[in-house]
Coordinates of all heavy atoms in Angstrom, one line a residue:
M30 N 121.6 -22.9 38.1 CA 120.7 -23.3 39.1 C 119.3 -23.0 38.7 O 118.4 -23.8 38.9 CB 121.0 -22.5 40.4 CG 120.1 -22.9 41.6 SD 120.7 -22.2 43.1 CE 119.2 -22.0 44.0
A31 N 119.1 -21.8 38.0 CA 117.7 -21.4 37.6 C 117.2 -22.4 36.5 O 116.0 -22.8 36.6 CB 117.8 -20.0 37.0
V32 N 118.0 -22.8 35.6 CA 117.6 -23.7 34.6 C 117.2 -25.1 35.2 O 116.2 -25.7 34.8 CB 118.7 -23.9 33.5 CG1 118.3 -25.0 32.5 CG2 118.9 -22.6 32.8
A33 N 118.0 -25.6 36.1 CA 117.8 -26.8 36.8 C 116.5 -26.8 37.6 O 115.6 -27.7 37.5 CB 118.9 -27.2 37.7
V34 N 116.3 -25.7 38.3 CA 115.0 -25.6 39.1 C 113.8 -25.5 38.2 O 112.8 -26.1 38.4 CB 115.1 -24.4 40.1 CG1 113.8 -24.1 40.8 CG2 116.2 -24.7 41.2
G35 N 114.0 -24.7 37.1 CA 112.9 -24.5 36.2 C 112.5 -25.8 35.5 O 111.3 -26.1 35.3
A36 N 113.5 -26.6 35.1 CA 113.3 -27.9 34.4 C 112.6 -28.8 35.4 O 111.7 -29.5 35.0 CB 114.6 -28.4 33.9
F37 N 113.1 -28.9 36.6 CA 112.4 -29.8 37.6 C 111.0 -29.3 37.8 O 110.1 -30.2 37.9 CB 113.2 -29.8 38.9 CG 112.5 -30.7 39.9 CD1 112.6 -32.1 39.8 CD2 111.9 -30.1 41.0 CE1 111.9 -32.9 40.7 CE2 111.3 -31.0 42.0 CZ 111.3 -32.3 41.8
A38 N 110.7 -28.0 37.9 CA 109.4 -27.5 38.1 C 108.5 -27.9 36.9 O 107.3 -28.3 37.1 CB 109.4 -26.0 38.2
A39 N 109.0 -27.9 35.7 CA 108.2 -28.2 34.5 C 108.0 -29.7 34.3 O 106.9 -30.1 33.8 CB 108.9 -27.6 33.3
H40 N 109.0 -30.5 34.8 CA 108.9 -31.9 34.4 C 108.8 -32.9 35.6 O 108.4 -34.1 35.4 CB 110.1 -32.3 33.5 CG 110.2 -31.5 32.3 ND1 109.3 -31.6 31.2 CD2 111.1 -30.5 31.9 CE1 109.6 -30.7 30.3 NE2 110.7 -30.1 30.7
G41 N 109.2 -32.5 36.8 CA 109.2 -33.5 37.8 C 108.5 -33.1 39.1 O 108.3 -33.9 40.0
A42 N 108.2 -31.8 39.2 CA 107.6 -31.3 40.5 C 106.0 -31.6 40.5 O 105.4 -31.5 39.4 CB 107.8 -29.9 40.7
G43 N 105.5 -31.8 41.7 CA 104.1 -32.0 41.8 C 103.4 -30.6 41.8 O 104.1 -29.6 41.9
P44 N 102.1 -30.6 41.6 CA 101.4 -29.4 41.5 C 101.5 -28.5 42.7 O 101.4 -27.3 42.6 CB 99.9 -29.8 41.3 CG 99.9 -31.2 41.6 CD 101.2 -31.8 41.6
G45 N 101.7 -29.0 43.9 CA 101.8 -28.2 45.1 C 103.1 -27.4 45.2 O 103.1 -26.4 45.9
V46 N 104.1 -27.8 44.5 CA 105.4 -27.1 44.6 C 105.8 -26.4 43.3 O 106.7 -25.6 43.2 CB 106.5 -28.0 45.1 CG1 106.2 -28.5 46.4 CG2 106.8 -29.1 44.1
K47 N 105.1 -26.7 42.2 CA 105.5 -26.2 40.9 C 105.5 -24.7 40.8 O 106.4 -24.1 40.3 CB 104.5 -26.8 39.9 CG 104.8 -26.4 38.4 CD 103.9 -27.1 37.5 CE 104.4 -27.0 36.1 NZ 103.9 -27.9 35.2
T48 N 104.5 -24.0 41.4 CA 104.4 -22.6 41.4 C 105.6 -21.9 42.1 O 106.2 -21.0 41.6 CB 103.1 -22.1 42.0 OG1 102.0 -22.7 41.3 CG2 103.0 -20.6 41.9
L49 N 106.0 -22.4 43.3 CA 107.1 -21.9 44.0 C 108.4 -22.0 43.3 O 109.2 -21.1 43.1 CB 107.2 -22.6 45.4 CG 106.2 -22.1 46.5 CD1 106.4 -23.0 47.7 CD2 106.5 -20.7 46.8
L50 N 108.6 -23.2 42.7 CA 109.8 -23.5 42.0 C 109.9 -22.6 40.7 O 111.0 -22.1 40.4 CB 110.0 -25.0 41.6 CG 110.1 -25.9 42.8 CD1 110.1 -27.4 42.4 CD2 111.4 -25.6 43.6
T51 N 108.8 -22.5 40.0 CA 108.8 -21.7 38.8 C 109.1 -20.3 39.0 O 109.8 -19.6 38.3 CB 107.4 -21.9 38.0 OG1 107.2 -23.3 37.7 CG2 107.4 -21.1 36.8
T52 N 108.4 -19.8 40.1 CA 108.6 -18.4 40.4 C 110.1 -18.1 40.8 O 110.7 -17.2 40.3 CB 107.7 -18.0 41.6 OG1 106.4 -18.1 41.2 CG2 108.0 -16.5 42.1
G53 N 110.7 -19.0 41.6 CA 112.1 -18.8 42.0 C 113.0 -18.9 40.8 O 113.9 -18.1 40.7
A54 N 112.8 -19.8 39.9 CA 113.6 -20.0 38.7 C 113.5 -18.8 37.8 O 114.5 -18.3 37.3 CB 113.2 -21.2 38.0
Q55 N 112.3 -18.2 37.6 CA 112.1 -17.1 36.8 C 112.9 -15.8 37.3 O 113.6 -15.1 36.6 CB 110.7 -16.8 36.6 CG 110.0 -17.8 35.7 CD 108.5 -17.5 35.6 OE1 107.9 -16.9 36.4 NE2 107.9 -18.1 34.6
Y56 N 112.7 -15.6 38.6 CA 113.3 -14.4 39.2 C 114.9 -14.6 39.2 O 115.6 -13.6 38.9 CB 112.9 -14.2 40.7 CG 111.6 -13.4 40.7 CD1 110.4 -14.0 40.4 CD2 111.6 -12.1 41.2 CE1 109.2 -13.2 40.5 CE2 110.5 -11.3 41.3 CZ 109.3 -11.9 40.9 OH 108.1 -11.2 41.0
Q57 N 115.3 -15.8 39.4 CA 116.8 -16.0 39.4 C 117.3 -15.8 38.0 O 118.4 -15.2 37.8 CB 117.2 -17.4 39.9 CG 118.7 -17.5 40.1 CD 119.1 -18.9 40.6 OE1 118.3 -19.8 40.5 NE2 120.3 -18.9 41.1
M58 N 116.6 -16.3 37.0 CA 117.1 -16.1 35.6 C 117.2 -14.7 35.2 O 118.2 -14.2 34.7 CB 116.2 -16.9 34.7 CG 116.7 -16.9 33.2 SD 118.3 -17.7 33.0 CE 117.7 -19.4 33.1
V59 N 116.2 -13.9 35.5 CA 116.2 -12.5 35.2 C 117.3 -11.8 35.9 O 118.0 -11.0 35.3 CB 114.8 -11.8 35.6 CG1 114.9 -10.3 35.6 CG2 113.7 -12.3 34.7
H60 N 117.6 -12.1 37.2 CA 118.6 -11.4 37.9 C 120.0 -11.9 37.6 O 121.0 -11.2 37.7 CB 118.3 -11.4 39.4 CG 117.1 -10.5 39.7 ND1 115.8 -10.9 39.5 CD2 117.1 -9.2 40.0 CE1 115.0 -9.9 39.8 NE2 115.8 -8.8 40.1
A61 N 120.1 -13.1 37.0 CA 121.4 -13.6 36.5 C 121.7 -12.8 35.3 O 122.9 -12.4 35.1 CB 121.3 -15.1 36.2
V62 N 120.8 -12.6 34.4 CA 121.0 -11.7 33.2 C 121.4 -10.3 33.6 O 122.3 -9.7 33.1 CB 119.8 -11.7 32.3 CG1 119.9 -10.7 31.2 CG2 119.5 -13.1 31.7
L63 N 120.7 -9.8 34.6 CA 121.0 -8.5 35.1 C 122.5 -8.4 35.6 O 123.2 -7.5 35.4 CB 120.1 -8.0 36.2 CG 120.4 -6.7 37.0 CD1 120.4 -5.5 36.0 CD2 119.4 -6.5 38.1
A64 N 122.9 -9.4 36.4 CA 124.2 -9.5 36.9 C 125.3 -9.5 35.7 O 126.3 -8.9 35.8 CB 124.4 -10.7 37.8
I65 N 125.0 -10.2 34.7 CA 125.9 -10.3 33.5 C 125.9 -8.9 32.8 O 127.0 -8.5 32.5 CB 125.4 -11.4 32.5 CG1 125.6 -12.8 33.1 CG2 126.2 -11.3 31.2 CD1 125.0 -13.9 32.4
V66 N 124.8 -8.3 32.7 CA 124.8 -7.0 32.1 C 125.6 -6.0 32.9 O 126.4 -5.2 32.4 CB 123.3 -6.4 31.9 CG1 123.3 -5.0 31.5 CG2 122.6 -7.3 30.8
C67 N 125.4 -6.1 34.2 CA 126.2 -5.2 35.1 C 127.7 -5.5 35.0 O 128.5 -4.5 35.0 CB 125.7 -5.4 36.6 SG 124.1 -4.7 36.9
A68 N 128.1 -6.7 34.9 CA 129.5 -7.1 34.7 C 130.1 -6.5 33.4 O 131.2 -6.0 33.4 CB 129.7 -8.6 34.8
I69 N 129.3 -6.5 32.4 CA 129.7 -6.0 31.1 C 129.8 -4.4 31.2 O 130.7 -3.8 30.6 CB 128.8 -6.4 30.0 CG1 128.9 -7.9 29.8 CG2 129.1 -5.7 28.7 CD1 127.9 -8.5 28.9
W70 N 128.8 -3.8 31.8 CA 128.7 -2.4 31.8 C 129.5 -1.7 32.9 O 129.7 -0.5 32.9 CB 127.2 -2.0 31.9 CG 126.9 -0.5 31.8 CD1 127.4 0.4 30.9 CD2 126.0 0.2 32.6 NE1 126.9 1.6 31.1 CE2 126.0 1.5 32.1 CE3 125.1 -0.1 33.7 CZ2 125.2 2.5 32.7 CZ3 124.4 0.9 34.2 CH2 124.4 2.2 33.7
A71 N 129.9 -2.4 33.9 CA 130.5 -1.9 35.1 C 131.6 -0.8 34.9 O 131.5 0.2 35.5 CB 131.0 -3.0 36.0
G72 N 132.5 -1.1 34.1 CA 133.6 -0.1 33.9 C 134.2 0.3 35.2 O 134.7 -0.4 36.0
H73 N 134.1 1.6 35.4 CA 134.6 2.2 36.7 C 133.5 2.6 37.7 O 133.8 3.3 38.6 CB 135.5 3.4 36.4 CG 136.7 3.1 35.5 ND1 137.7 2.3 36.0 CD2 136.9 3.3 34.2 CE1 138.6 2.2 35.0 NE2 138.2 2.8 34.0
S74 N 132.3 2.1 37.4 CA 131.2 2.5 38.3 C 131.0 1.5 39.4 O 130.6 0.3 39.2 CB 129.9 2.6 37.5 OG 128.8 2.8 38.3
S75 N 131.2 1.9 40.6 CA 131.0 1.0 41.8 C 129.5 0.7 42.0 O 129.2 -0.4 42.5 CB 131.6 1.6 43.0 OG 131.0 2.9 43.3
L76 N 128.6 1.6 41.6 CA 127.2 1.3 41.8 C 126.8 0.2 40.8 O 125.9 -0.6 41.2 CB 126.4 2.6 41.5 CG 126.1 3.5 42.7 CD1 125.4 4.8 42.2 CD2 125.3 2.8 43.7
V77 N 127.3 0.2 39.6 CA 126.9 -0.9 38.7 C 127.5 -2.2 39.2 O 126.8 -3.2 39.1 CB 127.4 -0.5 37.3 CG1 127.1 -1.7 36.3 CG2 126.7 0.7 36.7
R78 N 128.7 -2.2 39.7 CA 129.2 -3.4 40.2 C 128.4 -3.9 41.4 O 128.1 -5.1 41.6 CB 130.7 -3.2 40.7 CG 131.7 -3.3 39.5 CD 133.1 -3.4 40.0 NE 133.6 -2.2 40.7 CZ 134.0 -1.1 40.2 NH1 134.0 -0.9 38.9 NH2 134.4 -0.1 40.9
L79 N 128.0 -3.0 42.3 CA 127.2 -3.3 43.4 C 125.9 -3.9 43.0 O 125.4 -4.9 43.5 CB 126.9 -2.0 44.3 CG 126.0 -2.2 45.5 CD1 126.6 -3.2 46.5 CD2 125.7 -0.9 46.1
A80 N 125.2 -3.3 42.0 CA 124.0 -3.8 41.4 C 124.1 -5.2 40.9 O 123.2 -6.0 41.2 CB 123.5 -2.9 40.3
G81 N 125.2 -5.5 40.3 CA 125.4 -6.9 39.8 C 125.5 -7.9 40.9 O 124.9 -8.9 40.9
W82 N 126.3 -7.5 42.0 CA 126.4 -8.4 43.1 C 125.1 -8.6 43.9 O 124.7 -9.7 44.3 CB 127.5 -7.9 44.1 CG 128.9 -8.3 43.6 CD1 129.8 -7.4 43.0 CD2 129.5 -9.6 43.5 NE1 130.9 -8.1 42.7 CE2 130.8 -9.4 42.9 CE3 129.0 -10.8 43.8 CZ2 131.6 -10.5 42.7 CZ3 129.9 -11.9 43.6 CH2 131.1 -11.8 43.1
L83 N 124.4 -7.5 44.0 CA 123.1 -7.6 44.7 C 122.1 -8.4 43.9 O 121.3 -9.2 44.5 CB 122.5 -6.2 44.9 CG 123.2 -5.3 45.9 CD1 122.7 -3.8 45.9 CD2 123.0 -5.8 47.3
A84 N 122.1 -8.3 42.6 CA 121.2 -9.1 41.7 C 121.6 -10.6 41.8 O 120.7 -11.4 42.0 CB 121.3 -8.6 40.3
C85 N 122.8 -10.9 41.8 CA 123.3 -12.3 41.9 C 122.9 -12.9 43.3 O 122.3 -13.9 43.3 CB 124.8 -12.3 41.7 SG 125.5 -14.0 41.6
L86 N 123.3 -12.2 44.3 CA 123.0 -12.7 45.7 C 121.5 -12.7 45.9 O 121.0 -13.7 46.4 CB 123.7 -11.8 46.7 CG 123.6 -12.2 48.1 CD1 124.1 -13.6 48.3 CD2 124.2 -11.2 49.0
G87 N 120.8 -11.7 45.5 CA 119.3 -11.7 45.8 C 118.6 -12.8 45.0 O 117.7 -13.4 45.6
G88 N 119.0 -13.0 43.8 CA 118.4 -14.1 43.0 C 118.6 -15.4 43.6 O 117.7 -16.3 43.6
M89 N 119.8 -15.6 44.1 CA 120.1 -16.9 44.7 C 119.4 -17.1 46.0 O 118.9 -18.2 46.2 CB 121.6 -17.1 44.9 CG 122.4 -17.3 43.6 SD 124.1 -17.8 43.7 CE 124.7 -16.9 45.1
V90 N 119.4 -16.1 46.8 CA 118.7 -16.2 48.1 C 117.2 -16.5 47.9 O 116.6 -17.3 48.6 CB 119.0 -15.0 49.0 CG1 118.0 -14.9 50.2 CG2 120.4 -14.9 49.4
F91 N 116.6 -15.7 47.0 CA 115.2 -15.8 46.8 C 114.8 -17.2 46.2 O 114.0 -17.9 46.7 CB 114.7 -14.7 45.8 CG 113.2 -14.7 45.6 CD1 112.4 -14.2 46.6 CD2 112.7 -15.1 44.4 CE1 111.0 -14.1 46.4 CE2 111.3 -15.1 44.2 CZ 110.5 -14.6 45.2
C92 N 115.6 -17.6 45.2 CA 115.3 -18.9 44.6 C 115.6 -20.1 45.5 O 114.7 -21.0 45.6 CB 116.1 -19.1 43.3 SG 115.8 -20.6 42.4
L93 N 116.7 -20.0 46.2 CA 117.0 -21.1 47.2 C 116.0 -21.2 48.3 O 115.5 -22.3 48.7 CB 118.4 -20.9 47.7 CG 118.9 -22.0 48.6 CD1 118.9 -23.3 47.9 CD2 120.3 -21.6 49.2
S94 N 115.5 -20.1 48.8 CA 114.5 -20.1 49.9 C 113.2 -20.7 49.4 O 112.6 -21.5 50.1 CB 114.4 -18.7 50.5 OG 113.9 -17.8 49.6
L95 N 112.8 -20.3 48.2 CA 111.5 -20.9 47.7 C 111.7 -22.3 47.4 O 110.8 -23.1 47.6 CB 111.1 -20.1 46.4 CG 110.6 -18.7 46.6 CD1 110.1 -18.2 45.2 CD2 109.5 -18.6 47.6
S96 N 112.8 -22.8 46.9 CA 113.1 -24.2 46.6 C 113.1 -25.0 47.9 O 112.5 -26.1 48.0 CB 114.4 -24.4 45.9 OG 114.4 -23.7 44.7
L97 N 113.7 -24.4 49.0 CA 113.7 -25.2 50.3 C 112.3 -25.2 50.9 O 111.9 -26.2 51.5 CB 114.6 -24.5 51.3 CG 116.1 -24.7 50.9 CD1 117.0 -23.8 51.8 CD2 116.5 -26.1 51.0
I98 N 111.5 -24.2 50.7 CA 110.1 -24.3 51.1 C 109.3 -25.3 50.4 O 108.6 -26.2 50.9 CB 109.4 -22.9 50.9 CG1 109.9 -21.8 51.9 CG2 107.9 -23.0 51.1 CD1 109.5 -20.4 51.5
A99 N 109.5 -25.4 49.0 CA 108.8 -26.3 48.2 C 109.2 -27.7 48.4 O 108.4 -28.6 48.5 CB 108.9 -25.9 46.7
L100 N 110.5 -28.0 48.4 CA 111.0 -29.3 48.4 C 111.2 -30.0 49.7 O 111.0 -31.2 49.9 CB 112.4 -29.4 47.6 CG 112.3 -28.9 46.2 CD1 113.7 -28.9 45.6 CD2 111.4 -29.8 45.4
L101 N 111.5 -29.2 50.7 CA 111.8 -29.7 52.1 C 110.8 -29.3 53.1 O 110.9 -29.6 54.3 CB 113.2 -29.4 52.5 CG 114.3 -29.8 51.7 CD1 115.7 -29.4 52.2 CD2 114.3 -31.4 51.5
S102 N 109.8 -28.5 52.7 CA 108.7 -28.0 53.6 C 109.3 -27.2 54.7 O 108.8 -27.2 55.9 CB 107.8 -29.1 54.1 OG 107.2 -29.8 53.1
L103 N 110.4 -26.5 54.4 CA 111.0 -25.6 55.5 C 110.3 -24.2 55.4 O 110.8 -23.3 54.8 CB 112.5 -25.4 55.2 CG 113.4 -26.7 55.3 CD1 114.8 -26.4 54.9 CD2 113.3 -27.2 56.8
S104 N 109.2 -24.2 56.1 CA 108.4 -23.0 56.1 C 109.1 -21.8 56.7 O 108.8 -20.6 56.4 CB 107.0 -23.2 56.8 OG 107.3 -23.6 58.2
A105 N 110.1 -22.0 57.6 CA 110.9 -20.9 58.1 C 111.6 -20.1 57.1 O 112.0 -19.0 57.3 CB 111.9 -21.5 59.2
M106 N 111.9 -20.8 55.9 CA 112.6 -20.1 54.8 C 111.7 -19.0 54.2 O 112.1 -18.1 53.5 CB 113.0 -21.0 53.7 CG 114.1 -22.0 54.2 SD 115.5 -21.2 54.8 CE 116.2 -20.5 53.4
G107 N 110.4 -19.0 54.6 CA 109.5 -17.9 54.2 C 109.9 -16.6 54.8 O 109.6 -15.5 54.2
M108 N 110.7 -16.6 55.8 CA 111.2 -15.3 56.4 C 112.5 -14.9 55.7 O 112.9 -13.8 55.8 CB 111.5 -15.5 57.9 CG 110.2 -15.7 58.7 SD 110.6 -15.9 60.5 CE 111.3 -17.5 60.6
V109 N 113.1 -15.8 54.9 CA 114.4 -15.5 54.2 C 114.1 -15.0 52.8 O 114.8 -14.1 52.3 CB 115.3 -16.8 54.2 CG1 116.5 -16.5 53.3 CG2 115.6 -17.2 55.6
A110 N 113.0 -15.5 52.2 CA 112.7 -15.1 50.8 C 112.6 -13.5 50.7 O 113.1 -13.0 49.7 CB 111.4 -15.7 50.4
P111 N 112.0 -12.8 51.6 CA 111.9 -11.3 51.4 C 113.3 -10.7 51.4 O 113.5 -9.6 50.8 CB 111.1 -10.9 52.6 CG 110.2 -12.1 53.0 CD 111.1 -13.2 52.7
I112 N 114.2 -11.3 52.1 CA 115.6 -10.7 52.1 C 116.2 -10.8 50.7 O 116.7 -9.8 50.2 CB 116.5 -11.5 53.1 CG1 116.0 -11.3 54.5 CG2 118.0 -11.1 52.9 CD1 116.7 -12.2 55.5
G113 N 115.9 -11.9 50.0 CA 116.3 -12.0 48.6 C 115.6 -11.0 47.7 O 116.2 -10.3 46.8
G114 N 114.3 -10.8 48.0 CA 113.6 -9.8 47.3 C 114.1 -8.4 47.5 O 114.2 -7.6 46.5
L115 N 114.4 -8.1 48.7 CA 115.0 -6.7 49.0 C 116.4 -6.5 48.3 O 116.6 -5.4 47.8 CB 115.1 -6.5 50.5 CG 113.8 -6.3 51.3 CD1 114.1 -6.3 52.8 CD2 113.2 -5.0 50.9
L116 N 117.2 -7.6 48.3 CA 118.4 -7.5 47.6 C 118.2 -7.2 46.1 O 119.0 -6.5 45.5 CB 119.3 -8.8 47.8 CG 119.8 -9.0 49.2 CD1 120.4 -10.4 49.4 CD2 120.8 -7.9 49.6
M117 N 117.2 -7.9 45.5 CA 116.9 -7.7 44.1 C 116.4 -6.3 43.8 O 116.8 -5.6 42.9 CB 115.9 -8.8 43.6 CG 116.5 -10.2 43.5 SD 115.4 -11.4 42.9 CE 114.1 -11.5 44.1
I118 N 115.6 -5.8 44.7 CA 115.1 -4.4 44.6 C 116.3 -3.4 44.7 O 116.4 -2.5 43.9 CB 114.0 -4.1 45.6 CG1 112.7 -4.9 45.3 CG2 113.7 -2.6 45.7 CD1 111.7 -4.9 46.4
A119 N 117.1 -3.7 45.7 CA 118.3 -2.8 45.8 C 119.2 -2.8 44.6 O 119.8 -1.8 44.2 CB 119.1 -3.2 47.1
A120 N 119.3 -4.0 43.9 CA 120.1 -4.1 42.7 C 119.5 -3.1 41.6 O 120.2 -2.4 41.0 CB 120.1 -5.5 42.2
W121 N 118.2 -3.2 41.4 CA 117.6 -2.3 40.4 C 117.7 -0.9 40.8 O 117.9 0.0 39.9 CB 116.1 -2.7 40.2 CG 115.9 -4.0 39.5 CD1 115.6 -5.2 40.0 CD2 116.2 -4.3 38.1 NE1 115.6 -6.2 39.0 CE2 115.9 -5.6 37.9 CE3 116.5 -3.5 37.0 CZ2 116.0 -6.2 36.6 CZ3 116.7 -4.0 35.8 CH2 116.4 -5.4 35.6
L122 N 117.5 -0.5 42.0 CA 117.7 0.9 42.4 C 119.1 1.4 42.2 O 119.3 2.5 41.8 CB 117.3 1.0 43.9 CG 115.8 0.9 44.2 CD1 115.5 0.9 45.7 CD2 115.0 1.9 43.5
S123 N 120.1 0.5 42.6 CA 121.5 0.9 42.4 C 121.8 1.1 40.9 O 122.5 2.1 40.5 CB 122.4 -0.2 42.9 OG 122.3 -0.4 44.3
L124 N 121.2 0.2 40.0 CA 121.4 0.4 38.6 C 120.8 1.7 38.1 O 121.3 2.4 37.3 CB 120.9 -0.8 37.9 CG 121.2 -0.9 36.4 CD1 122.7 -1.0 36.2 CD2 120.5 -2.1 35.8
A125 N 119.6 2.0 38.6 CA 118.9 3.2 38.2 C 119.7 4.4 38.6 O 119.8 5.4 37.8 CB 117.5 3.2 38.8
V126 N 120.2 4.5 39.8 CA 121.0 5.6 40.2 C 122.2 5.7 39.4 O 122.6 6.8 39.0 CB 121.3 5.5 41.7 CG1 122.4 6.5 42.1 CG2 120.1 5.6 42.6
A127 N 122.9 4.6 39.1 CA 124.1 4.7 38.2 C 123.7 5.2 36.8 O 124.5 6.0 36.3 CB 124.7 3.3 38.1
A128 N 122.6 4.8 36.3 CA 122.2 5.2 35.0 C 121.9 6.7 35.0 O 122.3 7.4 34.0 CB 120.9 4.4 34.5
V129 N 121.2 7.2 36.0 CA 120.9 8.7 36.1 C 122.2 9.4 36.2 O 122.4 10.5 35.6 CB 120.0 8.9 37.3 CG1 119.9 10.4 37.5 CG2 118.6 8.4 37.0
R130 N 123.2 9.0 37.0 CA 124.4 9.6 37.2 C 125.3 9.7 35.9 O 126.0 10.6 35.7 CB 125.3 9.0 38.3 CG 124.8 9.3 39.7 CD 125.8 8.7 40.7 NE 125.3 9.0 42.1 CZ 125.9 8.5 43.1 NH1 126.9 7.7 43.0 NH2 125.4 8.8 44.3
N131 N 125.1 8.7 35.1 CA 125.9 8.6 33.9 C 125.2 9.1 32.7 O 125.7 9.0 31.6 CB 126.3 7.1 33.6 CG 127.4 6.6 34.6 OD1 128.1 7.4 35.2 ND2 127.3 5.4 34.9
S132 N 124.0 9.6 32.8 CA 123.2 10.1 31.7 C 123.8 11.4 31.2 O 124.4 12.2 32.0 CB 121.8 10.3 32.0 OG 121.6 11.4 32.9
P133 N 123.7 11.7 29.9 CA 124.3 12.9 29.3 C 123.6 14.2 29.9 O 124.3 15.2 30.1 CB 123.9 12.9 27.8 CG 123.7 11.4 27.6 CD 123.2 10.8 28.9
A134 N 122.4 14.1 30.4 CA 121.7 15.3 31.0 C 122.3 15.6 32.3 O 122.3 16.8 32.8 CB 120.2 15.0 31.1
S135 N 122.8 14.6 33.1 CA 123.4 14.9 34.4 C 124.8 15.4 34.3 O 125.4 15.7 35.3 CB 123.2 13.7 35.3 OG 124.1 12.6 34.8
A136 N 125.4 15.3 33.2 CA 126.9 15.7 33.0 C 127.1 17.2 32.9 O 126.3 18.0 32.8 CB 127.5 15.0 31.8

């Protein structure tokens, strides 16, 4: 989804919506990579698994809400975008806590 939205932003979107679509695509791509890293690293850590799911869901919610604002002028989705942002922040915090818990110094 991030690649498709980014490609449309680069090649087919008008100047009024290009920024929203590009921002959504970039955030979704970063958080898709985070979700993949969490899936690889998860092992037996429920916090890492949680971080992966939060990153995936947050990236999708954020990107989709910005896309709906840009493409369909659904300004009400402006109230949904921060939910995606909070989910993405929660993903990074969960991953940070998991990293601290698994560090050699905390053992």
Side-chain angles (χ1 to χ4, degrees):
M30 184 174 150
V32 174
V34 171
F37 179 70
H40 302 290
V46 300
K47 187 173 188 160
T48 302
L49 283 173
L50 293 175
T51 301
T52 300
Q55 288 174 342
Y56 275 75
Q57 186 179 21
M58 183 65 73
V59 167
H60 288 84
V62 171
L63 175 60
I65 291 168
V66 169
C67 288
I69 293 168
W70 186 43
H73 298 290
S74 174
S75 59
L76 271 176
V77 175
R78 282 192 297 277
L79 176 64
W82 282 108
L83 289 170
C85 188
L86 184 59
M89 288 190 326
V90 168
F91 187 73
C92 183
L93 185 59
S94 62
L95 291 185
S96 296
L97 290 173
I98 293 167
L100 299 174
L101 301 177
S102 300
L103 292 176
S104 58
M106 293 305 290
M108 294 183 287
V109 176
I112 295 169
L115 287 172
L116 292 169
M117 291 184 292
I118 291 168
W121 287 105
L122 290 174
S123 296
L124 188 62
V126 170
V129 169
R130 283 187 180 174
N131 291 331
S132 71
S135 67

